[in-house]
Amino acid sequence: MTACEILRAGPFTTVQDWPGRTGYWKVGVPPSGPMDDLSFRLANQAVGNPDSAAGLEATMAGPRLRFDEPTVVAVTGAPALITIDGTPAAQWVPLHLQAGQVLDIGAVGTVGLRVYVAVAGGIDVEEYLGSRSTFTMGRFGGKDGRTLADGDSLTIGPAGSGPITRILTDEIPALTNSWELAVTVGPHSAPEFFTAADIEDLMSTGYEVHFNSDRTGIRLIGPQPRWARSDGGEAGLHPSNIHDNAYSVGALDFTGDTPILLGPDGPSLGGFVCPVTVVAAERWKLGQLKPGDTVRFVAVRSRAAASPSTLGRDRRANFPHVLSTGGDADHGILGRTTTADGTTEVTYRRSGDDNILVEYGDMRLDLELRARVHALSERIAAEQPRGLIDLTPGIRSLQVKADPDVWSQTSMLQWLSECEAQLPSADDLVVPSRVVDLPLSWDDPATREAIERYMLGVRSDAPWCPWNIEFIRRMNGLDSVDDVHRIVFDAEYLVLGLGDVYLGAPVAVPLDPRHRLVTTKYNPARTWTPENAVGIGGAYLCIYGMEGPGGYQFVGRTTQVWNHRHPQTTPGFDPEHPWLLRFFDRIRWYPVSAEELLDMRADVAAGRGDSVRITDGMFSLSAHQQFLDAHADEIDATRGAMESARAEERERWSQGGEFAA
């Protein structure tokens, strides 16, 4: 096989394939893959590869490569200086290299940000969860889960036997510094979450791309929303907070007042509203947005969106403007119905042109709603309708992702409505529910460091600084931080979602409402969170699956919830998959010191230790309801006192200008 030597890697060059790592959105594994799928797939076509073949994505500047055998390559994406042994060469055409020749790709020019390199035969690296794509934050895929480095060597697969004649000069996408993005309205728009004026601002503003942008998301600078709500209730104190639901790649996610376009390495689950979503055929543009560029959103009808499977003129990518006669005038709501027993409203929300977000009931925390989500998910998974890609449950919602060329939203909506009419009562839910005892280092030094970094680099005057635990105490009207400690260790947390912040990270809620400490999330979010930090946001607890950004209020740190040694067996982990926790597990904490936790974490990383203790069991919704009924008066009194404390905190925020535009 041909070998490719990396003489110069460039600042951020990774191996990617298309469509990336699908089927694992529900456990917090992003698809990854190329940010600009259009340029990537065209490069593969130029050299005779299938669209799915692995290639290189380079950011800001490309690599310098030497091949030990004759090969054919193509370079696409942002304009850059290309040379072969010092002689200028063209982009968007197949380039024939002789053994030993050096392909050098320079810095990108004034437009665009990423360059793509395809090699006949594709790059042959080991697959992880069905894909060769690199997810650097998760440390898997590609070349050892990392960016390429000088001196690396890559193996090239055998090239096909067919002729290579694909010249792409008529299909070059239009790059600019003033972008228009075609978006569909939804899933969470006006008038429920944003005001009509907010949406008008969104569609008429030229947002600036912030320098702090990457493959996880593109931060934008623009007007602060007015908001249609005063807060998010149990989901959090800020009006952007909602009960955690699945995100779509390309969603415009308002993390507090900060708009972020979610990329292919972004989170699968979160508790923030998204008023619009970039349509699938336009998401390639996210890969070419560079700091300082401007972005305007143009509403289109979902039925009129171009097909993401097309690469030529039908995708309209070589035209710089979005042609639109207006968006769908339905505020992102495709339809409403009720459950078969007539007790619960079901709302079908548009999330791009390739997802439907099915929501149950009112905006409240109710385990019966999660039971309905589970029943619908199980029904869809059992039938596996043609075109289905992913099912991702949230707290009171299920996101159904499909190939829009195979299963249109109109067909999806009709089929989902028929499914709903046939589902059993939620009261009948009885599911396997393991008790998982995990160590917790309370107020761990790593979380203290994260707060200090936030205060130094993001915001020092936030109400939750300098100590998150004191903020939690104040938010819930408790007498001392010892009360916070007692409640956290007394609680039993039911896992309702996985992947809240990547890689099997649980979003869990105390079964006993008296243990439901409620906080808001950081605004703006942290840029760094230590792996396996434990935090509370809204009424939910989360264990961060890996290092990365975050917004939950810290209480401590625990051991790993993702097995990087997979498929090697590690105590507590299932050898069939790398995530520790399952839906409806019950987490309990036992205290350890910071030093003990470090030893436990080292043991897990080495594939040994007994820090995780698991006991099999079952969870019955009807039995849980009996518990709630038996303690209803005390639960109401406790929650009432906590809500009063939050109202006082919100008033202090208002007087202090926290909500000022």
Side-chain angles (χ1 to χ4, degrees):
M1 287 188 176
T2 302
C4 171
E5 183 181 0
I6 313 299
L7 303 178
R8 186 194 68 242
F12 197 98
T13 302
T14 57
V15 176
Q16 302 292 343
D17 66 6
W18 180 86
R21 197 167 279 107
T22 59
Y24 298 96
W25 204 230
K26 66 181 180 182
V27 292
V29 179
S32 299
M35 278 200 79
D36 176 357
D37 75 287
L38 178 59
S39 295
F40 181 89
R41 292 163 64 191
L42 286 170
N44 268 326
Q45 291 199 3
V47 299
N49 289 340
D51 289 0
S52 59
L56 300 182
E57 176 183 89
T59 304
M60 295 190 293
R64 192 167 185 256
L65 311 171
R66 180 166 56 209
F67 300 87
D68 66 353
E69 293 184 14
T71 191
V72 180
V73 302
V75 182
T76 62
L81 176 63
I82 313 297
T83 63
I84 299 174
D85 285 348
T87 301
Q91 291 179 262
W92 303 96
V93 298
L95 302 173
H96 296 260
L97 275 67
Q98 301 304 311
Q101 285 194 301
V102 174
L103 174 71
D104 197 324
I105 304 169
V108 301
T110 56
V111 294
L113 188 64
R114 290 177 173 86
V115 176
Y116 294 89
V117 184
V119 185
I123 295 174
D124 187 12
V125 293
E126 185 178 357
E127 288 190 356
Y128 183 86
L129 297 179
S131 171
R132 294 180 169 86
S133 285
T134 309
F135 180 41
T136 56
M137 293 197 301
R139 308 198 304 276
F140 54 70
K143 179 70 171 177
D144 303 325
R146 59 172 172 80
T147 58
L148 297 182
D150 297 356
D152 280 345
S153 181
L154 297 173
T155 300
I156 308 301
S161 57
I164 300 171
T165 59
R166 191 93 158 86
I167 296 175
L168 307 169
T169 49
D170 290 336
E171 300 177 54
I172 299 174
L175 304 186
T176 179
N177 297 121
S178 300
W179 296 85
E180 291 186 356
L181 295 179
V183 297
T184 56
V185 177
H188 296 112
S189 190
E192 297 170 277
F193 304 93
F194 294 84
T195 67
D198 290 334
I199 301 303
E200 183 178 346
D201 285 346
L202 188 66
M203 297 301 177
S204 62
T205 299
Y207 286 80
E208 181 182 346
V209 176
H210 192 274
F211 69 87
N212 188 15
S213 299
D214 54 25
R215 286 178 50 89
T216 64
I218 299 162
R219 294 184 180 230
L220 301 177
I221 303 170
Q224 179 175 321
R226 300 163 182 81
W227 300 107
R229 309 180 301 165
S230 60
D231 59 50
E234 283 183 306
L237 199 57
H238 195 276
S240 66
N241 298 158
I242 57 173
H243 296 287
D244 284 41
N245 64 191
Y247 292 137
S248 168
V249 174
L252 183 65
D253 183 33
F254 272 82
T255 57
D257 297 313
T258 303
I260 300 176
L261 282 166
L262 298 179
D265 283 356
S268 63
L269 201 68
F272 297 103
V273 292
C274 302
V276 297
T277 306
V278 180
V279 300
E282 291 261 305
R283 291 173 196 162
W284 69 268
K285 295 179 179 179
L286 274 60
Q288 300 299 349
L289 297 176
K290 66 191 310 177
D293 284 359
T294 58
V295 173
R296 288 185 179 272
F297 299 104
V298 181
V300 298
R301 292 182 173 86
S302 55
R303 293 184 183 181
S307 167
S309 65
T310 61
L311 295 179
R313 297 182 185 277
D314 289 343
R315 204 188 249 208
R316 304 192 287 271
N318 57 356
F319 190 69
H321 302 294
V322 174
L323 301 179
S324 173
T325 56
D328 295 291
D330 53 17
H331 305 297
I333 298 175
L334 295 168
R336 298 186 193 271
T337 186
T338 57
T339 53
D341 58 11
T343 63
T344 305
E345 185 177 60
V346 187
T347 304
Y348 300 93
R349 297 182 183 272
R350 181 188 300 105
S351 186
D353 58 332
D354 52 350
N355 301 280
I356 290 181
L357 187 68
V358 186
E359 279 189 351
Y360 286 92
D362 300 328
M363 189 66 69
R364 58 191 169 89
L365 174 53
D366 186 334
L367 296 185
E368 179 184 328
L369 303 182
R370 181 60 179 87
R372 294 188 182 279
V373 169
H374 178 74
L376 178 61
S377 180
E378 291 291 289
R379 168 67 186 275
I380 298 172
E383 295 209 18
Q384 285 293 310
R386 183 171 172 267
L388 177 67
I389 296 175
D390 265 312
L391 294 171
T392 310
I395 302 302
R396 48 182 284 273
S397 61
L398 178 70
Q399 181 167 280
V400 185
K401 180 177 178 61
D403 180 345
D405 289 333
V406 178
W407 200 19
S408 69
Q409 278 189 334
T410 301
S411 299
M412 288 172 68
L413 179 62
Q414 180 179 354
W415 192 85
L416 290 170
S417 299
E418 293 172 356
C419 278
E420 184 58 51
Q422 301 166 14
L423 293 179
S425 169
D427 293 338
D428 297 334
L429 178 75
V430 179
V431 294
S433 177
R434 307 178 305 169
V435 175
V436 182
D437 290 294
L438 291 171
L440 181 65
S441 168
W442 184 256
D443 198 18
D444 190 81
T447 61
R448 286 281 193 157
E449 180 186 350
I451 297 171
E452 290 173 4
R453 289 194 192 186
Y454 181 82
M455 293 178 67
L456 289 172
V458 181
R459 183 182 178 192
S460 62
D461 64 342
W464 44 86
C465 295
W467 191 18
N468 290 177
I469 295 173
E470 163 58 24
F471 177 68
I472 295 171
R473 180 206 67 76
R474 194 170 70 240
M475 281 278 292
N476 291 276
L478 302 176
D479 293 332
S480 71
V481 292
D482 290 340
D483 291 330
V484 181
H485 182 280
R486 173 183 53 79
I487 290 173
V488 169
F489 280 95
D490 283 351
E492 192 170 74
Y493 294 88
L494 187 69
V495 174
L496 301 183
L498 292 171
D500 185 54
V501 273
Y502 300 104
L503 303 193
V507 55
V509 63
L511 281 168
D512 187 339
R514 293 169 293 186
H515 294 152
R516 290 178 188 169
L517 301 170
V518 177
T519 73
T520 194
K521 303 173 184 113
Y522 280 46
N523 176 31
R526 289 185 302 274
T527 56
W528 180 75
T529 302
E531 182 184 51
N532 307 133
V534 179
I536 298 174
Y540 303 104
L541 176 136
C542 177
I543 304 170
Y544 284 77
M546 63 184 203
E547 283 191 15
Y552 281 51
Q553 305 291 337
F554 294 124
V555 295
R557 195 184 190 199
T558 188
T559 51
Q560 294 88 325
V561 294
W562 186 270
N563 182 14
H564 287 285
R565 292 172 54 84
H566 181 71
Q568 295 170 276
T569 301
T570 298
F573 285 86
D574 188 325
E576 296 299 317
H577 54 70
W579 53 93
L580 173 67
L581 298 166
R582 305 172 185 173
F583 298 126
F584 299 105
D585 276 352
R586 286 166 286 158
I587 299 171
R588 298 190 310 200
W589 301 113
Y590 65 90
V592 297
S593 68
E595 294 74 18
E596 288 173 322
L597 180 67
L598 290 177
D599 289 341
M600 290 175 169
R601 291 181 57 79
D603 283 343
V604 174
R608 59 176 185 265
D610 59 356
S611 59
V612 180
R613 306 160 189 171
I614 298 177
T615 306
D616 289 334
M618 302 295 290
F619 173 75
S620 165
L621 186 63
S622 61
H624 177 65
Q625 187 60 52
Q626 291 173 14
F627 169 83
L628 297 180
D629 292 342
H631 300 276
D633 291 343
E634 188 177 348
I635 289 171
D636 288 345
T638 301
R639 294 182 66 181
M642 289 180 172
E643 288 170 3
S644 295
R646 289 195 294 277
E648 292 175 5
E649 179 71 14
R650 192 184 185 285
E651 180 59 28
R652 285 193 291 269
W653 284 26
S654 181
Q655 292 180 2
E658 180 70 18
F659 298 114

